[in-house]
Structures are given as structure tokens and as C-alpha cells.
Amino acid sequence: MTSTFVTAGPFAGQKPGTSGLRKKTAQFRAPHYLECFVQAIFDAVGASGKVLVLGGDGRFFGREAAGIILRMAAANGVARVIVAQGGLLSTPAASHLIRLNGADGGIVLSASHNPGGEDGDFGVKYNISNGGPAPESVTAAIHAASERLTGYRISDQPAPDLDRIGETDLDGMAVQIVDPVLDYAELMERLFDFDAIRAMIAGGFTLRFDAMCAVTGPYAVEILERRLGAAPGSVVNAVPLPDFGGMHPDPNPTWASDLYERLMSETGPDFGAASDGDGDRNMILGRGAYVNPSDSLAVLAAHAHLAPGYAGGIKGIARSMPTSTAADRVAEALGIEAHETPTGWKFFGNLLDAGRATICGEESFGTGSDHVREKDGLWAVLLWLNVLAATGQGVSDLLGAHWRRFGRTFYSRHDYEALPVPQAEAAMSQLRGALDTLPGKTIAGMKVAAADDFAYVDPVDGSVSKGQGLRVIFANGARIVLRLSGTGTEGATLRLYLELHSDDPETFGADPQDMLAPVIAAAEELAGIARHTGRIAPDVIT
Ligand code: VG1
Ligand code: CO
């Protein structure tokens, strides 16, 4: 073994955030920065004799970072690293590889939906042996290790060529380079009725999938075009690029506007979908229909039994607190458990492991199930296609039928990005300070039923997570949630979540922003975002 100990640190590393350590690419490339964080992971979770999975979304610096991490893994005594060819591995595929191989954990190099490139963002996520994001206990241990750090160990040997499939040796550590798509595609074939989807497509059903020049391109081409017979070119922006072609790989109507516009046109395809940088998010569209992610969770949960992988029914539904309550109504109708967790996929892990939830979702275009321990963009697309094939209905018909059965939960998220931290804090503290006084009061014509700062007690291990978002619930069922983003890299991002349920079919065609006008007015009265920030409108509305 020929390795060097480089003196560096202590290092103000990862404070438990929503999803891994996310910083400007330049910060990660600064001397010793990536190395110190990776050493903190090894110090916290142990490296000697372990088996790890490694890959990422192909963004700028990913390949170089993978080489550094391999050399550090070898120097720290890791037994084997399973690396995706070219370093390209979607987050859900990484989760699957960890589970399939019984690995001890994995490192995913991605800043998800944040733009990439030299001036963009980079990120490192650590996943545990169940395939899911590290829970708060582990991220706290990594943070503590980073503060004790005196340096890091790195092999003097060069990292192997990541493009050649097969096994090599790096300083006594096995490096196994695998096809990133194969195992994942096989898992999808087991879960879904590919014959039925293939027949629907052969019968003239058209689709467009926008991979946004990010990691899902190769997966979508293999599954949608090669295995399911979608016309060549149905998958667009299919080649992963280090800067995502300058795109912002966030699948929502703002950042995937080209796809959105096409689906809103009468001549558009029957079905449209997009995924984010690392492949864990999804946006679902039908011709003339946009499916709000909270509705997508509810519709998928109500119809999951139509797919072979869920034919026995689902055991429970979990949603993050800011996600709309539409899925709760489905859980009630199915007579199964409904769980409400803090934002971030790591909070679903215990529920999935314990068999208390089968389907999970977040309002931020994240949906998934117990097939892996991450949200999974292509999985959601395939479940939708399976449901459409099984019911013979289109997206907009299915959505309309769902609303007629359960009512429509109007929902929207307003994001105020890159705010000066004190301005964002001012809005938060105005509402936080008033919480106790709100119940019973009438705000913008609506009576407050309850208000709190959301705290979660994990029903499986009893761990407590406090301060997870300010929540105001009105007597008419409307909700306002206000929280600070834990994934931004510039200033503070304030997220305002708005919800109002209606059982009146006459309202179902209304624009959510119009329906939510009283809730928006109540939020301004409660938090004074415009007053504190001077912003007259949100940067992104989803
Ligand atoms: C955002 C979303 C959250 C999601 C997280 C990671 O976090 O709101 O629902 O789990 O991103 O998604 P925040 O703290 O900025 O609101 V991804 O696709 O980055 O792994
Ligand atoms: Co993502």
C-alpha cells in the first residue's frame, strides 16, 4: 500500500441538510475540500473491509471527484467499490445497486436539480446499507467527524479508467466497473407490465421524455425506446452533459417549459415526463393536463395495484409534511396507514424498511416506493404508463376521475430564492412568533384551527426531528406551510406551501392560483414575505 496522509482540517463539513453536502463547484474543487468531507464520511461510518457503490449524475467535476474518492477509499482500507461505468449513476439506480449487492453504503456525486458546471453546483450524498439517504444520526456523526479531522489518507496510485467494464485493483482494493442501466432496467421489468405498455405504445400512444441533458438519458432510451418500443427520439436531451447543456435540470413547468408547452398544445403527445439531474424527480404531463406532484402521489397510490409489483395492494402511504393531503384521502379509502414526515427522503427509510409504507412522495416532484430507498423519476413514469395501459384512460381523464372521487386538493408552492438570510429569517420569525396566538383567530376570512412548528417522532426508532416547518391549518381544511430550503447554495430560499381542498366539481377546472387567493392573502398577513423581502412575486411557482 502506498498512500499519503495529507494534513488538513478541521473542516466545517456537513450540517445535516435536506440532502447531502451541496456547495458551489468551485468550493468542492478548492484544495482539500472534497477530500476532507469524504474522510469525514469514512471516519464516521468506517471504511476498513467495506463494500461501497460509487457514481453520480455526470455533472462537471464528477469524474475527477470519483477518481479522488476511489484513491481515498483504497487508502482507507475499503475492500471493494462498485463503480458505474463512466461514473454515471442515477440516484435510484445507486440505491438499487447498494441493495442488490448487499453493499455497506454508497456515495452519489450530485447536486440533484441544481445547475451544474464550473460555475454551478456540486454535491456529495452518502447512502447507507438499506440504499437510502443517511439518516440524521449518521449525518450528525459525519459532521462531528469533520470537526475532529486532522487530515485525509489518499493512495499514491492513479485511479483506474472508469469507462472499461470489469474488475481492476487499486492499491489492494477491488474496483468493479459495472453497466449502470442493466440492473435497474431489470428491476423495472419485474415491477411493471411491460407487455401492456408495449401494446399501448404499438397501438399509437405517443410520449416524450425530457432527460434535460442529465443522468436519466441512457436509462430512458434503454427502457422507453428499446424495451417498450417508443419511437426513436421520444427521449430528448438524452445525452448527459457536464453542464446539462446549460439547462436547469429541475423537472417543473418553469425549467422544463419546452416540454410543458408541447403537452399543453392540442397536437402534443399523449404523455410527457421529465426528470432531474440525478434522476430521482419526475414531472408528469398528459395532453392538456399538468399533474401536480401531490396529486400524482395520490393517483399512483390509488392505482398501484394495477401494476404487477404492487398487485397485492400497498401497505401504507407516506408523504412529507408540506405535500398536500390528497394522498391521505386515498389511504383512508384503502384503509391503510398514512404517514406525515419532515421534508427529505431520508425520513421515509424506516417506514419502508418496517413495511409500514409502500408508496412515498413529496410535493417537490418526488415519488417512489419500497423497490429502492430513494425517490425514483423513471419508476413514477413507468407506473403512470402501466396505469394508463391497464385502465385505457388518458392522463386528464384519470385525474378528473380521481377528483370526482376524492375531491380536488388545490396546491401550490411559491419559492423566493437567493434571499439575504436576515430577510428570510424575518418572515420565518414573524410567523413563528405568532403561532401560539393563532388558533381561533380569523385570517383573511378563514378561521385558524391549529398552528405549530412541525416536529416528527419516527414511529419506528422514536428519534425526534424538530423545527421542520411552520404550519397553519384552517378550519376549512386549508393549510399554509413556511420553511427554509436546505438544499440551496446561495443565500436563503423561502418556500411557501399553499393548499385548499374542494369537493365541488364546479371548481375542479379552476386555476390553482385563483382558488388559493385567500390562502395566499392569509400567508402574506401571517409572514409578511413581501414586506420583509421587498419581493412582489415568487421566483418559481409550482
Ligand atoms: C428540496 C425539496 C425536498 C427534496 C430535496 C432533495 O429540499 O423541497 O422535498 O427532498 O430538495 O431533492 P429543500 O430543503 O430545498 O426544500 V433532490 O432531487 O435534491 O435529491
Ligand atoms: Co434529485
Side-chain angles (χ1 to χ4, degrees):
M1 168 108 90
T2 52
S3 68
T4 305
F5 182 83
V6 182
T7 307
F11 165 79
Q14 182 191 27
K15 285 236 168 55
T18 315
S19 185
L21 181 67
R22 209 170 283 188
K23 298 281 177 201
K24 288 280 161 214
T25 308
Q27 168 103 65
F28 265 106
R29 294 173 81 203
H32 313 309
Y33 189 88
L34 169 74
E35 291 86 344
C36 283
F37 181 59
V38 172
Q39 187 64 52
I41 295 175
F42 290 148
D43 288 352
V45 304
S48 180
K50 302 258 161 138
V51 176
L52 296 177
V53 165
L54 176 65
D57 63 10
R59 70 180 61 219
F60 181 82
F61 188 54
R63 210 175 248 269
E64 212 177 309
I68 291 170
I69 293 170
L70 282 172
R71 291 168 54 214
M72 288 184 62
N76 278 275
V78 169
R80 167 182 299 267
V81 182
I82 301 164
V83 193
Q85 186 182 26
L88 273 178
L89 188 62
S90 79
T91 289
S95 184
H96 180 51
L97 264 191
I98 293 171
R99 297 166 65 79
L100 187 69
N101 292 284
D104 297 291
I107 294 176
V108 179
L109 305 172
S110 168
S112 189
H113 54 287
N114 295 24
E118 208 166 340
D119 302 319
D121 292 344
F122 194 78
V124 178
K125 304 195 275 187
Y126 180 72
N127 283 28
I128 58 174
S129 63
N130 74 351
E136 282 185 335
S137 56
V138 175
T139 53
I142 294 171
H143 181 59
S146 76
E147 290 186 317
R148 287 194 304 267
L149 206 78
T150 55
Y152 60 90
R153 274 176 295 282
I154 186 160
S155 167
D156 301 329
Q157 306 290 311
D161 174 4
L162 298 185
D163 290 321
R164 203 171 316 138
I165 289 192
E167 193 160 321
T168 48
D169 173 271
L170 170 59
D171 221 351
M173 177 182 84
V175 178
Q176 188 187 344
I177 297 177
V178 301
D179 181 306
V181 177
L182 220 54
D183 293 319
Y184 178 83
E186 273 163 23
L187 174 65
M188 294 301 119
E189 288 221 34
R190 284 202 298 280
L191 295 174
F192 302 114
D193 187 347
F194 272 40
D195 288 338
I197 302 173
R198 209 179 289 119
M200 176 173 75
I201 291 173
F205 180 93
T206 52
L207 64 89
R208 185 179 177 93
F209 180 90
D210 194 336
M212 305 190 82
C213 302
V215 78
T216 44
Y219 296 83
V221 168
E222 172 63 26
I223 295 171
L224 300 175
E225 294 187 5
R226 293 208 191 99
R227 301 197 185 197
L228 292 170
S234 299
V235 179
V236 297
N237 297 316
V239 178
L241 299 173
D243 66 348
F244 305 125
M247 290 173 98
H248 190 149
D250 196 354
N252 62 39
T254 302
W255 297 115
S257 55
D258 175 67
L259 179 78
Y260 183 83
E261 298 304 334
R262 281 169 193 272
L263 268 290
M264 291 309 130
S265 136
E266 275 174 22
T267 55
D270 293 303
F271 182 84
S275 193
D276 70 333
D278 62 330
D280 55 1
R281 296 185 175 204
N282 72 91
M283 174 171 71
I284 301 292
L285 301 160
R287 190 182 300 111
Y290 162 71
V291 185
N292 178 288
S294 295
D295 276 348
S296 181
L297 171 66
V299 171
L300 291 181
H303 294 89
H305 62 277
L306 297 173
Y310 309 91
I314 59 173
K315 293 175 201 138
I317 307 173
R319 63 164 174 84
S320 67
M321 185 273 280
T323 303
S324 99
T325 53
D328 300 11
R329 294 180 173 86
V330 175
E332 202 188 335
L334 295 175
I336 56 175
E337 286 186 26
H339 298 276
E340 184 176 41
T341 61
T343 294
W345 210 262
K346 59 181 168 231
F347 293 102
F348 294 134
N350 279 346
L351 295 168
L352 292 165
D353 285 349
R356 296 190 54 180
T358 305
I359 303 247
C360 305
E362 293 194 279
E363 49 65 39
S364 52
F365 300 83
T367 345
S369 88
D370 59 1
H371 68 292
V372 291
R373 292 294 179 273
E374 289 276 7
K375 53 188 184 276
D376 188 343
L378 266 169
W379 170 91
V381 169
L382 292 168
L383 181 49
W384 264 97
L385 291 175
N386 196 145
V387 171
L388 297 178
T391 59
Q393 283 183 295
V395 173
S396 106
D397 295 337
L398 205 63
L399 200 54
H402 187 88
W403 292 340
R404 281 193 297 282
R405 181 170 171 206
F406 295 98
R408 178 169 181 190
T409 311
F410 288 91
Y411 185 84
S412 184
R413 180 174 110 181
H414 291 188
D415 290 333
Y416 297 83
E417 296 177 341
L419 292 168
V421 176
Q423 292 183 6
E425 292 289 356
M428 286 293 288
S429 30
Q430 179 182 326
L431 178 55
R432 192 184 290 112
L435 287 174
D436 290 346
T437 68
L438 292 179
K441 273 195 186 156
T442 298
I443 314 283
M446 300 184 301
K447 194 167 176 192
V448 177
D452 68 356
D453 188 346
F454 182 61
Y456 178 66
V457 183
D458 186 304
V460 180
D461 66 15
S463 59
V464 179
S465 306
K466 290 186 181 156
Q468 297 294 328
L470 310 177
R471 159 170 90 153
V472 181
I473 302 167
F474 295 89
N476 65 357
R479 281 201 322 163
I480 290 170
V481 173
L482 188 67
R483 61 179 281 280
L484 289 169
S485 158
T487 59
T489 57
E490 250 169 79
T493 292
L494 202 53
R495 303 203 196 286
L496 173 66
Y497 310 79
L498 308 145
E499 170 175 351
L500 179 71
H501 185 79
S502 168
D503 283 315
D504 177 5
E506 293 288 309
T507 65
F508 291 172
D511 180 333
Q513 303 307 317
D514 294 340
M515 280 300 283
L516 290 165
V519 190
I520 295 169
E524 185 50 35
E525 197 175 323
L526 289 169
I529 298 175
R531 189 163 59 79
H532 291 298
T533 67
R535 301 269 178 100
I536 47 166
D539 297 284
V540 179
I541 295 181
T542 48

